[in-house]
Amino acid sequence: MKTLLLTEKDVKQLLTMDEVMEAVESAFKAKGLGHAQMPAKVYLFYKKYKGDLRAMPSYLEELDISAVKIVNVHPENRAKYGLPTVMAIIILVDPKNGAPMAIMGGTWATGMRTGAAGGIAAKYLAKKDSRVVGLVGAGAQARTQLMALLSLYKKLEEVRVWSLPDGTKEAFVAEMEPKYGDVAKIIAVESVKDAVEGADIVVTITPSRKPLVSNDWVEAGMHFNCIGADAPGKQELDPAILTRAKI
């Protein structure tokens, strides 16, 4: 038996956002129809390091594909160690015998999958004529969230990005403007309020443990993709927003 090994570079060269969007939508459908096993992720909390590790198994029964992803979240990694906040590895397993078919870098795939999930949510829940996007956070996930939205909305008027005053929003604009400046004006803003007010789609992608987005800034018809609050103790939205929200 041979096990295929794929580096992060290999994965990044192979994946396109359109392909990932299609795969994620198909997986969501399988889950909704009861054709997928995806138990709740298992956490290890490294409290003294302010990080955690997660194990995420899955099995798509109709496609007969199974995998396990192991992924961390350590918000202080970049400042302390020069490492990404999120890193992952994926093991593809043969369901008929449990043999490892492939071991691959999962960091880029994680970013693309999560970006695609936001894109699929916007596809079905956001306004079809959405023109303004507000990004609360400017890390790696902001990039793939924008990629997914631009695969849906071929032309946006404006993308506003806010982050803490550490240079990340300026770096985001400097990187994204040459790539997507012809389809959207991409600007850094000074406050969360500036990013949110008047936006059609708001994406929150931070490790915050207290609300960043005030209910007072939210207008009827806004769509929210809340990516950062993915573990106990995390919070990005004023709870009053959730009492108003509809799906």
Side-chain angles (χ1 to χ4, degrees), residues 109-163:
T110 293
M112 292 285 277
R113 187 221 66 88
T114 309
I120 296 302
K123 176 180 177 179
Y124 289 101
L125 300 174
K127 293 182 292 187
K128 303 303 181 187
D129 60 349
S130 294
R131 289 292 179 266
V132 178
V133 172
L135 300 176
V136 181
Q141 186 52 224
R143 289 155 170 79
T144 53
Q145 290 290 327
L146 180 58
M147 287 170 62
L149 290 174
L150 287 175
S151 76
L152 293 173
Y153 301 97
K154 303 304 182 183
K155 187 71 175 178
L156 293 171
E157 289 178 7
E158 191 171 76
V159 175
R160 311 166 186 162
V161 58
W162 172 89
S163 69

Side-chain angles (χ1 to χ4, degrees), residues 134-143 145 160-164 168-169 172 192 195 203-207 212 236:
L135 300 176
V136 181
Q141 186 52 224
R143 289 155 170 79
Q145 290 290 327
R160 311 166 186 162
V161 58
W162 172 89
S163 69
L164 294 173
T168 53
K169 64 185 178 185
F172 179 89
V192 178
V203 186
T204 57
I205 27 187
T206 76
L212 295 172
E236 296 177 301

Side-chain angles (χ1 to χ4, degrees), residues 3 23 49 53 65 87 125 133 142 205 207 216 223-224 230 246:
T3 301
Y49 301 116
L53 187 74
I65 296 173
M87 296 177 285
L125 300 174
V133 172
I205 27 187
D216 295 337
H223 173 76
F224 280 85
D230 62 347
K246 296 180 181 179

Side-chain angles (χ1 to χ4, degrees), residues 44-210:
L44 292 176
F45 294 101
Y46 307 129
K47 292 184 179 180
K48 64 181 179 180
Y49 301 116
K50 299 180 181 178
D52 64 66
L53 187 74
R54 309 153 189 209
M56 304 163 66
S58 63
Y59 176 37
L60 293 176
E61 296 170 356
E62 291 189 333
L63 294 178
D64 206 26
I65 296 173
S66 186
V68 179
K69 182 173 78 172
I70 300 171
V71 58
N72 78 296
V73 177
H74 283 68
E76 297 181 353
N77 262 5
R78 196 167 300 280
K80 286 188 173 181
Y81 308 110
L83 293 171
T85 297
V86 174
M87 296 177 285
I89 188 168
I90 298 171
I91 303 172
L92 191 67
V93 176
D94 189 336
K96 69 176 178 287
N97 55 29
M101 300 171 65
I103 300 173
M104 65 190 81
T107 304
W108 181 247
T110 293
M112 292 285 277
R113 187 221 66 88
T114 309
I120 296 302
K123 176 180 177 179
Y124 289 101
L125 300 174
K127 293 182 292 187
K128 303 303 181 187
D129 60 349
S130 294
R131 289 292 179 266
V132 178
V133 172
L135 300 176
V136 181
Q141 186 52 224
R143 289 155 170 79
T144 53
Q145 290 290 327
L146 180 58
M147 287 170 62
L149 290 174
L150 287 175
S151 76
L152 293 173
Y153 301 97
K154 303 304 182 183
K155 187 71 175 178
L156 293 171
E157 289 178 7
E158 191 171 76
V159 175
R160 311 166 186 162
V161 58
W162 172 89
S163 69
L164 294 173
D166 56 3
T168 53
K169 64 185 178 185
E170 290 82 7
F172 179 89
V173 173
E175 180 184 340
M176 295 294 106
E177 182 67 28
K179 294 180 179 179
Y180 305 118
D182 59 332
V183 293
K185 181 182 179 182
I186 303 173
I187 60 171
V189 296
E190 294 303 313
S191 69
V192 178
K193 183 178 181 181
D194 291 339
V196 172
E197 276 195 330
D200 299 301
I201 298 172
V202 176
V203 186
T204 57
I205 27 187
T206 76
S208 180
R209 292 184 173 270
K210 61 182 180 180

Side-chain angles (χ1 to χ4, degrees), residues 211-243:
L212 295 172
V213 180
S214 170
N215 181 52
D216 295 337
W217 309 335
V218 177
E219 301 171 8
M222 274 187 180
H223 173 76
F224 280 85
N225 282 337
C226 303
I227 307 300
D230 62 347
K234 292 185 177 181
Q235 185 178 8
E236 296 177 301
L237 301 187
D238 179 342
I241 297 171
L242 302 180
T243 66

